Structures are given as C-alpha cells and as structure tokens.
Amino acid sequence: MAATFATTTNNNNSRMMASSESIDQSQHISVNHDRSFSLLDFKGTTFGLAAKGMRNELGNMVAAVPEGPERDHFAKEMDSFFDLFARYLAEKAKGQKINWSKIKSPKEEQILYYKNLNTPVANASNVNNLSKLAVLKLNGGLGTTMGCVGPKSAIEVRDGMTFLDLTVRQVEYLNSTNQVNVPLILMNSFNTDVDTTNIIQKYSSHALQILTFNQSRYPRVGKESLLPTASSYADNGPNWYPPGHGDLFESLNNSGLLDQLIADGKEYLFISNVDNLGATVDTTILDHMASSGSEFIMEVTDKTKADIKGGTLIDYDGQVRLLEIAQVPSEYIEEFKSIKKFKIFNTNNLWVSLKAIKRLVTDSAFSMEIIENIKTTEGGEKVIQLETAVGAAIKHFQNAIGINVPRSRFLPVKSTSDLFLITSDLYSLHHGVLSMNNKRLFGTVPLVKLGDHFKKVGHYSSRFKSPPHILELDHLTVTGDVTFGSDVVLRGTVIIVANHGSRIDIPSGAILDDKVVSGNLRILDH
C-alpha cells in the first residue's frame, strides 16, 4: 500500500490511512490528489529510513485526530508536507545544487520594461479586465520584528491607518471608480487567522468583499533526528510553522476559494505582500496580461545595494526561473549580491492566471525549489523548516515573463527605518495609495539607518514629536539615545551618534544640513 495520509473515498466510503510498510528505493509515495513522487535512488539507507520514520510519525498524528473534516484537512496538509520532505531527502541524497555555469541573464523577451507597455485608456475593455480580477495579500506574518503583537497588517503605518486599512481603501476606491467588484483575499497563517478574522469585522459595512483562507501548518523537523518535533495535531506551540508563500496555490485550491473565484468569472489574481505599500492594482500590467496571454507576470525592479539579498530572475536552460539567495552555493554568494551581474530583483508583486493555477494543481505539477531554513529553538535544538517561494512557480506557467517596474511599486515596510520614510513628507496619501511628493527633486529614496533604540514601533514613536521633513535628505544614520522635536528639517547627509550613557535631543524647528552630531545634547522644555 502507498504511504498516503489523505482520506480517499471509494464507492463504500472506506478510508485509507498511512501504512507501516517500508519505503524502498523504487517505491512511489502517493499523496494528495493521486500525486506521486519517486524517492529516486537513495545512496544508502539513511534517508530511506528517515522517510519511513517521518511517514510513520505523520501517520500516527493523523490517526489520533477524530474522524471528520478536521482530520481530512490535517491529512491533506501532512500529505503535502511529506511530499516536500521526500523531495528534500532525495535532493540531499543526490547532493543536488544549482549548476552555476548554466545561469545566464534573462533574455530580452523574458523581461519587458514597464515604460514600453501600452498604457490603457479608460474603456469597456479596461473595465472588463478589472471585473475578472481578484487581489490577494500575503498576510501570514507577525509584527514581532518591529516589536508588535499580532498580524503585521494591523500595525499603524500612516495617518492612524494600518496596512490593512490602506489596502481596503485602495480596493474599495478601485471598485467604486470603475463600477466593478474586485474581491480582496487574505492568505493568513495559523498565527494570524484569529486576529485577522476579528479585525476585518470592522469592514463589514464597506462595499468590498473580503475573503480569507489559511496557508498550511507544517511540522518543524529535528536537524539530527529528521523527525517532526511536534507530537500531536493539538500541539499549538512553536513546533509548527507556515511553510512560506509557495504554499499559496495548493492552499487556495484546498480551501475551495480557487473554484469559487473561477465560478464567479474571475480570471486573474494579483498577489503581493501586505506590507508592500507600493503594490497597487495597475491596469497597464493587467491589460498586458490579458492581451498577451501570459499566465504569470513577476514585477521586478532595478537592484540597489539595499536589495542585495533579494531573489532575481535568471535564464536557466532557456527557461525563466527565480533564483533566491538560499539556493546559491556559498562560493558564489558575493557574486549573487553584485548589482553588476544581477541587476534586478523580485518585488513579489505577481499576476497569475487562475485557470492556469487550477490546471497545475490538478496535474500536481508544482515543484518549487526547496528552501532549507534552519532555526534554533529556545531550548537550543536545531530544527529545519522546509519552505518554498511563490515566485519560484514562474517556471511552471506558460509565457511567463518579468516586467521591470518603477521603484515606486516596491515600498515595503520591514523595519522602523522604512516606517520613517513612509510617515514623512516624502510621500502623500490619496485613497490609500502612497505617491512620492512631487517636490522631491530626484526620484530616489533616502538611505535611512536607525539604531536599536528605534527598533520597536513603540520606542520609535516616542522619539519623534512629529515626522521630520526630509524632501532634501540623501542619507540618515541615527544611533543611541536620540529624540527629535517637531518640524525638524533634515537635508543632505545627516549622522547623529549618541554614545553609551549620552543623550541627544534635536530641538523643534532645527535644520540639519550635511551635519554630524555627536556627544551629549539635552534641550529642556520650559
């Protein structure tokens, strides 16, 4: 019997669970939707035994869940995880690495320039394409890196509005302006689902359809044991993780939303990170997708020294593929970071055909590159998280291309340094959309580095009476115990360093123009 965890139904409604049969080198592991994967030729028994042990552990966890929809769903997830784990072991056994000599810059036809696309005019065709669109935000992340509790999308970023508030305003305005019904979809993780469900209730009176689904929950794997650190389905602790956004396609299908969208006449899906405030619906790209028949479009933008770790598009054996830093052999890391050879990077703004997703899921055709993410638990144990990136799916779609877009379409807020820019006068806000202030004489964004005293949002907010004016700022570095008064103007290159035990208060109304400030400076209010 094949090792399968998903419930299958025959005419007698019988169920098939994981068997205890051993896995040999030629056996195929049957997984969800009759998917199969060969373990290939393992060199020795180590990985074969690891696969057998993992299969048994997962099977035991599934068997312990009471029969019903919850068990069925969990079984499907464990099927998908085992498929990923088996591929991981097979690649480890074969010592598979990307062949660096095959990596080439993308061909001209693989990367188009946004400025060369035909700008659509407002007409029936334009509105027709919008009516076939759904917007999906990746909403699985927490705000822990910025010192916040709960979904990152709930962090206030501009004028008292959160990431989610701005997204709702954008899509709502798009719908009202064009008289269409573009739904907003949130892909949550088990970390963000409950909080997000509660948060979106405040939008119930808005003229906008908000749909949610969860990405999978996979077990962490002990680095030494190659067994799941979780022992039961009911374990809600840190032994489980969301497996990266490459899980999107299968989770969307398993949720039933993919079929629902297609039944509602939707054909296109615009995917982006919820914290990328530049990722708005662009009808120029949408219309190009509709007219060209491309099933997958990835927005890329020119790489700067701040983007050296971002994934990039390459030509590999004549096929366009995404190359992530985690895939790069250690001896080529510096070459990967170079902005001379790899000139673009992935913004993770993706336009995808819904029908193509359905075809590929049905055919079990998705096989994205596996990212091995090694973590250390609080107890000091090394654990493995097996993840995939949604952009890596580009190789599976027909007529897939990249489009080199303006930097304005990539405004992520990953840190308080990014938040500093977004809240400043560098940007103006209209209907939830941020645009660079036209008084900024050059289109580049200042380089801002805020020290540890500013790392958490709460601490950051307490150090500014009001956002500084930075229209003429090139570079800002702030370290140590520093506070800013109101209406501070920063120009050129400004470096402020408060040494350990010292404090610097920048007074209200101060103008710092190409200045270095260090030492101790206290301004007392009277």
Side-chain angles (χ1 to χ4, degrees):
M1 183 184 296
T4 181
F5 310 113
T7 302
T8 58
T9 306
N10 59 22
N11 292 333
N12 299 317
N13 294 320
S14 63
R15 297 177 182 275
M16 180 172 65
M17 299 303 298
S19 78
S20 58
E21 295 176 17
S22 63
I23 298 177
D24 61 32
Q25 294 180 2
S26 63
Q27 181 180 351
H28 286 257
I29 301 172
S30 176
V31 287
N32 194 23
H33 307 307
D34 295 322
R35 186 194 320 161
S36 63
F37 177 80
S38 172
L39 286 179
L40 307 175
D41 296 319
F42 279 119
K43 299 175 182 177
T45 61
T46 303
F47 291 123
L49 290 172
K52 177 183 176 182
M54 175 63 74
R55 182 200 60 189
N56 290 339
E57 290 291 319
L58 298 178
N60 290 337
M61 282 196 282
V62 170
V65 180
E67 289 191 10
E70 199 168 18
R71 177 176 176 173
D72 295 346
H73 179 75
F74 181 55
K76 283 184 179 181
E77 284 189 335
M78 294 306 96
D79 264 338
S80 297
F81 171 74
F82 187 70
D83 176 61
L84 187 67
F85 182 72
R87 284 203 296 123
Y88 166 76
L89 291 181
E91 290 175 10
K92 280 284 188 181
K94 296 181 70 176
Q96 287 181 345
K97 283 188 177 180
I98 195 163
N99 188 334
W100 198 255
S101 64
K102 291 185 177 182
I103 292 175
K104 296 180 174 61
S105 297
K107 300 171 185 175
E108 286 187 11
E109 63 268 23
Q110 291 172 332
I111 304 289
L112 306 182
Y113 283 89
Y114 181 86
K115 62 184 179 182
N116 294 335
L117 300 181
N118 293 324
T119 303
V121 294
N123 55 33
S125 174
N126 181 245
V127 173
N128 184 49
N129 289 333
L130 276 175
S131 69
K132 299 175 183 177
L133 179 70
V135 171
L136 189 152
K137 294 291 182 179
L138 303 172
N139 187 50
L142 296 170
T144 49
T145 56
M146 295 175 68
C148 297
V149 177
K152 186 176 183 181
S153 58
I155 296 175
E156 289 189 4
V157 288
R158 178 77 188 224
D159 298 349
M161 287 183 288
T162 66
F163 289 107
L164 202 48
D165 291 335
L166 293 174
T167 299
V168 168
R169 288 194 67 183
Q170 290 171 18
V171 180
E172 196 172 31
Y173 182 72
L174 176 78
N175 285 337
S176 63
T177 303
N178 296 279
Q179 297 299 301
V180 292
N181 180 26
V182 174
L184 172 62
I185 306 168
L186 303 175
M187 184 174 84
N188 301 326
S189 68
F190 63 88
N191 290 319
T192 63
D193 180 53
V194 173
D195 287 338
T196 299
T197 300
N198 292 331
I199 290 169
I200 62 176
Q201 291 179 9
K202 70 178 181 179
Y203 308 121
S204 58
S205 61
H206 290 239
L208 174 67
Q209 183 184 20
I210 301 180
L211 306 169
T212 67
F213 71 100
N214 275 16
Q215 65 183 120
S216 297
R217 187 183 73 144
Y218 283 178
R220 282 176 158 180
V221 179
K223 191 173 186 299
E224 298 301 324
S225 67
L226 292 180
L227 293 173
T229 59
S231 58
S232 108
Y233 168 77
D235 174 6
N236 291 318
N239 290 320
W240 301 89
Y241 71 98
H245 37 59
D247 178 58
L248 184 152
F249 303 115
E250 190 158 329
S251 292
L252 182 65
N253 182 66
N254 289 344
S255 71
L257 272 180
L258 179 58
D259 289 334
Q260 178 184 328
L261 291 169
I262 293 173
D264 290 344
K266 304 301 179 184
E267 296 183 17
Y268 312 108
L269 188 65
F270 175 45
I271 304 165
S272 62
N273 298 337
V274 74
D275 63 4
N276 180 6
L277 297 179
T280 59
V281 172
D282 187 290
T283 53
T284 298
I285 299 175
L286 175 61
D287 282 19
H288 178 81
M289 186 175 196
S291 61
S292 67
S294 175
E295 292 184 343
F296 190 109
I297 293 175
M298 174 185 290
E299 294 185 37
V300 298
T301 195
D302 291 340
K303 194 174 182 178
T304 69
K305 291 181 179 180
D307 314 305
I308 56 176
K309 293 184 179 180
T312 188
L313 284 183
I314 59 171
D315 179 274
Y316 195 84
D317 284 339
Q319 184 182 46
V320 63
R321 283 175 59 172
L322 177 68
L323 177 66
E324 297 276 9
I325 192 169
Q327 301 166 245
V328 179
S330 57
E331 62 268 31
Y332 297 109
I333 290 291
E334 292 306 313
E335 186 176 343
F336 175 82
K337 291 180 179 180
S338 168
I339 61 176
K340 293 182 179 179
K341 181 172 182 178
F342 300 101
K343 299 179 180 180
I344 57 173
F345 74 98
N346 171 28
T347 66
N348 222 36
N349 298 349
L350 309 171
W351 302 77
V352 192
S353 161
L354 287 165
K355 291 180 180 177
I357 294 173
K358 185 62 180 179
R359 181 188 75 240
L360 291 166
V361 169
T362 301
D363 294 343
S364 302
F366 285 114
S367 180
M368 279 89 88
E369 288 74 16
I370 299 171
I371 300 170
E372 180 188 47
N373 193 351
I374 298 177
K375 302 279 190 180
T376 302
T377 66
E378 291 184 359
E381 180 187 5
K382 296 285 187 182
V383 295
I384 300 169
Q385 295 183 180
L386 301 179
E387 304 173 6
T388 56
V390 63
I394 189 171
K395 66 181 181 180
H396 295 299
F397 290 85
Q398 297 174 10
N399 301 319
I401 59 168
I403 293 182
N404 194 326
V405 298
R407 184 76 183 200
S408 58
R409 291 194 56 75
F410 184 67
L411 295 176
V413 181
K414 304 294 184 184
S415 65
T416 52
S417 296
D418 297 327
L419 191 61
F420 174 88
L421 295 171
I422 296 300
T423 57
S424 73
D425 59 348
L426 192 65
Y427 294 98
S428 55
L429 181 67
H430 300 284
H431 304 295
V433 178
L434 288 170
S435 55
M436 188 172 287
N437 193 321
N438 56 20
K439 293 181 181 179
R440 173 83 170 173
L441 297 180
F442 25 88
T444 57
V445 175
L447 180 61
V448 175
K449 297 180 179 179
L450 302 180
D452 289 344
H453 285 72
F454 294 78
K455 190 173 183 179
K456 295 183 178 181
V457 171
H459 296 163
Y460 165 88
S461 301
S462 68
R463 293 183 175 274
F464 294 94
K465 282 193 175 179
S466 69
H469 302 286
I470 63 169
L471 286 177
E472 298 176 62
L473 179 68
D474 297 320
H475 180 120
L476 173 67
T477 294
V478 183
T479 60
D481 188 1
V482 180
T483 63
F484 292 80
S486 58
D487 295 320
V488 172
V489 179
L490 305 173
R491 298 173 181 159
T493 297
V494 178
I495 300 174
I496 306 172
V497 179
N499 296 324
H500 181 70
S502 300
R503 174 174 166 176
I504 295 177
D505 293 335
I506 305 299
S508 296
I511 299 175
L512 302 182
D513 191 344
D514 285 325
K515 294 293 183 183
V516 176
V517 181
S518 63
N520 192 67
L521 177 64
R522 296 293 304 276
I523 304 296
L524 301 178
D525 290 330
H526 295 283

